[in-house]
Amino acid sequence: MSLRRADRVSAILERLSGAGSIDAGQLAEEFGVSPATIRRDLQNLEDQRLLSRTHGGAVAVDVAYELPVRYRIGQHREEKALIAKATADLLPRGPLTLGLTGGTTTHLLARLLAERVDLTVVTNALNIAAELALRPRLKLVMTGGVSRTQSYELVGPIADHALQGLNMAVAVVGVDGISARGGLTTHDEIEANTNATMIRRADRVIVVADGSKVGKVCLAGICPITGVATLVTDASADPAALDAIRRTGTEVVVAGA
């Protein structure tokens, strides 16, 4: 099996997350590439402090980190596609002002919405803006701000100030964690504040989160769960965590169920 580099690296990190260690020779055979290619992949990931190389392989680093978005694209791909499709179906027809934060699932959603007419998209995500910039039938509004390499998002006071002057009917928000107790959370406190600003400017908030993020609490709080109208997730989400979220009054949609 030969994978594109981004997919291969994503698979390596996912395997490392589950097993704690990986063998370079086994990876080379499994992915249909040379041992030298795998060694280069591992060196690149070690340079980014995403793993620690060993003789013949690598081990996980003993810290919580935020996986850069270019490596998240291959993770839970089918689930994210289902979530994006279910979210697109939830959005009202006709003229709509839609806020989109950064994230792999919101990026998939943007692709699904690219052919809609009477749509205004407000986003702080560079990859989403690049996806929509050449679509003549929709209006794109960018926030400005300081770019975060990990998420392709523009964040900070410039982004916050731009969002404070805008009104959105719906905001679709990607998160790193969502739970009844912790609400919406992410790894970076500056990004959290910008996302919270978008949420405050929206009439309705939809959170998109694959099952691995449900029940998880990360460093920076975005808003309480009561600020969320709907969570769209997939069937891998922990049922107890979903029940707790439902009890707060948030609607839960399980895509593909």
Side-chain angles (χ1 to χ4, degrees):
M1 176 181 65
S2 182
L3 298 176
R4 292 186 307 112
R5 182 176 181 276
D7 291 338
R8 188 174 65 245
V9 170
S10 177
I12 289 171
L13 289 168
E14 193 159 13
R15 191 78 47 81
L16 190 62
S17 175
S21 64
I22 48 176
D23 181 87
Q26 291 179 354
L27 292 174
E29 183 177 349
E30 179 179 346
F31 297 148
V33 297
S34 69
T37 295
I38 293 295
R39 287 195 294 270
R40 284 194 296 272
D41 289 342
L42 297 181
Q43 182 62 59
N44 179 263
L45 292 171
E46 184 177 55
D47 291 344
Q48 297 176 70
R49 301 181 181 179
L50 298 177
L51 54 74
S52 179
R53 292 184 68 192
T54 62
H55 180 70
V59 296
V61 290
D62 190 23
V63 294
Y65 57 81
E66 179 182 5
L67 196 62
V69 71
R70 63 185 178 279
Y71 298 143
R72 281 185 260 144
I73 293 170
Q75 292 189 320
H76 312 289
R77 180 174 298 188
E78 292 182 8
E79 292 89 345
K80 290 175 179 178
L82 288 172
I83 292 168
K85 175 64 169 60
T87 304
D89 291 341
L90 289 175
L91 297 177
R93 301 301 162 189
L96 176 66
T97 301
L98 176 69
L100 292 176
T101 69
T104 51
T105 307
T106 50
H107 188 194
L108 290 173
L109 175 62
R111 289 178 175 174
L112 293 176
L113 300 176
E115 299 303 322
R116 276 192 56 168
V117 297
D118 294 333
L119 182 66
T120 297
V121 174
V122 177
T123 188
N124 65 323
L126 293 166
N127 55 339
I128 290 175
E131 188 75 40
L132 300 179
L134 298 179
R135 304 289 181 167
R137 296 193 291 179
L138 61 77
K139 182 177 182 179
L140 173 66
V141 181
M142 281 290 290
T143 63
V146 177
S147 176
R148 286 197 72 232
T149 305
Q150 294 91 331
S151 65
Y152 297 162
E153 285 188 284
L154 300 172
V155 299
I158 296 172
D160 300 345
H161 181 75
L163 288 168
Q164 286 166 1
L166 300 172
N167 300 298
M168 289 153 275
V170 181
V172 179
V173 179
V175 297
D176 294 310
I178 178 169
S179 69
R181 177 179 65 86
L184 312 188
T185 58
T186 189
H187 292 286
D188 182 79
E189 67 280 4
I190 300 175
E191 180 180 303
N193 191 68
T194 296
N195 289 349
T197 304
M198 179 178 287
I199 286 170
R200 287 194 296 270
R201 303 306 302 172
D203 295 333
R204 179 187 179 198
V205 175
I206 299 174
V207 171
V208 289
D210 67 70
S212 68
K213 299 172 182 176
V214 174
K216 184 177 178 181
V217 179
C218 300
L219 170 69
I222 300 172
C223 77
I225 193 67
T226 51
V228 179
T230 305
L231 164 65
V232 186
T233 187
D234 64 84
S236 69
D238 176 54
L242 291 181
D243 285 342
I245 290 171
R246 287 189 185 97
R247 287 196 295 271
T248 68
T250 295
E251 176 190 23
V252 174
V253 174
V254 179

